[in-house]
Amino acid sequence: MTDMTYTEPRQTGHTAGTHPRTRTPDLHLDLDLHSRRGRSDQLAAALRRAIEAGRLLPGTRLPSTRSAATDLGVARGTVVSAYHHLIAEGYLETARGSGTRVLPSMAKPPRHKPEPVRERNPWRYDFRPGAPDMTLFPRTAWVKATQRVLQTTPAEALGYGDPRGRPELRWALADYLGRSRGVVTHPDRIVICHGFTQALGLIASVLAENGVDAMSVEDPGYPHFRDVVRLAGLNTHAVEVDADGLRPEGLRGRAAVVTPIHQYPLGVPLSAERRKALVSWAEAADAVIVEDDYDGEFQYGPQKVGALQAAAPHRVIYAGTTSKTLAPGIRLAWLVVPPDWVERITNAKRVADHHSTALTQMIVADLLLSGAYDQHIRNCRDQYRMRREQLGEVLAAVAPAAWLMSENRGLHASILWSPDGPAEREVLQAARAESLALAGLGSYWGSPGGHPPGLVIGYATPPRHAYAETLNALARVLDRHFR
């Protein structure tokens, strides 16, 4: 065999097209440096076993010989010799700028094959509801806010804190919610959560601990929230929703969760008369109302409707979130609770996870205080208003027998048609043939019985550049069944 001399490759920390990495990666090896076997042979054998077992994956970068020698307490020549043997055997390779790495051809898969990584969205077009256009996320403003926070935040702010959340965010939210949504509150009555799912779970658990056995929910409504309530030990009672929103006469128990601004999924608002009736029910039943104001910022008409909470701050728990305004991945929501609920919700939050992510809270607080959050909302509002109008125009052109149930607000709209028209499943099948992801209204009902067919269109979901094509795909599907 040709004599080979191992030369330490220059490790720059990153290669072209990759993210920067640490110059000295940690490496765990099973070694017995007290045996009679040569240390170089032991090191080579340990590396070989790790590669063949699949613990060192293809492309894994090893420490430099100098770093490995220091970490293992051996001579550098020992590491050089071990690397030399494995390069000769075809287990490792060296390349200028990227260090010593495991060769893909020699690495074997682990015993238990990991689940294959599935495509996040196999659909060509996507109109499923529940998400904003993530390409509108204010990256520049977020970066600037992050830089300001990191430059000014004291170290102690990154430790364990108040379960209610960072005071910077609670003060900023008290101001924002009061002026933009008409919410009556104080920072001491705001609790920050990891999304509305956690917020609802905390509320349901507190209710269960205080002897409440059931919560009224809208029908149709979001199935996941029914599951959250049941997991906390409560039963759910379905309450009918019509063109004026939830029907208060159907309420039962001492708790209800409602979406009064833009009912999910029908999209109708709770009428003024029913708002009053809902509050009256809560007073008479000594009940609490959970107001899910998930997309209340997106109202497109001249008259904006404020939060229900202002009508009865002592009866309504107000819930808001960044999942529709920024992105679901931020995982940030807030509860505005009545005074006698503060301690109970705070204790439940402390037990659940102590507190939400401090840095994210302070970044969102900076966005609110700087005005960047309001500017982002206005930009998104203009974009979604236009999309909503275009959806209405297409529906009128290709499916005049169907109609939009929703008001001119929110991030989704429901399309309904007569039971004499096409079956909901037929429309969904046609959508699949177009590689168009749609949500049928049928999956949202919690009660059995005949329900009108329909679709729930998340017109905010497609990225801006794909909206026109997605709308054209929907037009083809509807045209096929309604012409």
Side-chain angles (χ1 to χ4, degrees), residues 71-88:
D71 291 344
L72 296 172
V74 299
R76 185 184 179 196
T78 299
V79 183
V80 170
S81 178
Y83 281 13
H84 174 96
H85 284 299
L86 292 177
I87 291 170

Side-chain angles (χ1 to χ4, degrees), residues 137-449:
F137 183 82
R139 293 172 182 261
T140 300
W142 187 271
V143 168
K144 291 180 179 179
T146 301
Q147 291 174 335
R148 286 191 294 266
V149 167
L150 291 176
Q151 290 169 355
T152 60
T153 297
E156 55 268 23
L158 302 179
Y160 293 108
D162 191 329
R164 292 174 299 174
R166 290 296 307 171
E168 300 94 332
L169 180 56
R170 291 188 284 118
W171 277 97
L173 280 171
D175 171 73
Y176 170 77
L177 295 173
R179 62 178 169 78
S180 71
R181 300 299 300 123
V183 173
V184 178
T185 190
H186 183 275
D188 291 343
R189 291 172 48 205
I190 295 178
V191 180
I192 309 301
C193 302
H194 285 296
F196 180 70
T197 295
Q198 185 192 48
L200 181 59
L202 296 178
I203 295 168
S205 66
V206 170
L207 287 168
E209 290 173 1
N210 285 270
V212 177
D213 60 1
M215 176 179 282
S216 290
V217 296
E218 296 170 328
D219 191 28
Y222 190 30
H224 175 65
F225 292 159
R226 295 195 289 265
D227 294 338
V228 171
V229 171
R230 291 166 183 161
L231 185 63
L234 301 182
N235 296 316
T236 57
H237 173 72
V239 182
E240 181 186 356
V241 175
D242 60 22
D244 290 322
L246 174 139
R247 296 172 62 91
E249 63 269 23
L251 291 164
R252 299 290 184 275
R254 293 175 50 209
V257 57
V258 299
T259 50
I261 300 298
H262 189 233
Q263 199 275 333
Y264 194 88
L266 292 181
V268 298
L270 188 64
S271 68
E273 181 180 351
R274 291 192 179 176
R275 281 182 164 227
K276 294 178 182 178
L278 177 59
V279 171
S280 296
W281 165 80
E283 295 284 7
D286 190 23
V288 64
I289 301 166
V290 181
E291 178 181 12
D292 180 8
D293 194 33
Y294 65 98
D295 64 357
E297 289 92 343
F298 300 109
Q299 302 184 50
Y300 311 128
Q303 296 296 323
K304 305 295 191 296
V305 180
L308 173 70
Q309 187 264 1
H314 60 295
R315 288 291 178 191
V316 178
I317 298 177
Y318 174 91
T321 177
T322 59
S323 292
K324 306 300 183 288
T325 56
L326 291 173
I330 300 298
R331 304 313 302 145
L332 195 69
W334 45 85
L335 294 176
V336 176
V337 301
D340 58 343
W341 273 76
V342 173
E343 184 176 355
R344 289 181 285 181
I345 291 292
T346 301
N347 287 337
K349 174 66 175 174
R350 181 185 293 109
V351 171
D353 61 2
H354 200 91
H355 62 77
S356 298
T357 312
L359 272 178
T360 301
Q361 293 183 62
M362 290 184 284
I363 293 168
V364 174
D366 186 278
L367 292 174
L368 287 165
L369 294 172
S370 69
Y373 190 84
D374 287 78
Q375 182 60 49
H376 171 68
I377 294 295
R378 287 192 291 270
N379 293 339
C380 292
R381 190 183 292 138
D382 291 341
Q383 177 70 214
Y384 298 149
R385 179 193 296 112
M386 179 184 65
R387 296 186 186 192
R388 172 67 166 70
E389 292 171 353
Q390 292 173 338
L391 174 63
E393 292 170 359
V394 166
L395 185 64
V398 302
W403 63 91
L404 285 177
M405 181 79 167
S406 310
E407 286 282 323
N408 190 21
R409 61 184 64 169
L411 307 185
H412 77 276
S414 57
I415 298 176
L416 276 70
W417 60 87
S418 169
D420 297 331
E424 185 178 297
R425 66 178 181 277
E426 294 175 354
V427 178
L428 294 176
Q429 288 172 354
R432 284 194 288 271
E434 289 280 350
S435 192
L436 170 63
L438 287 181
L441 186 58
S443 62
Y444 291 92
W445 296 98
S447 60

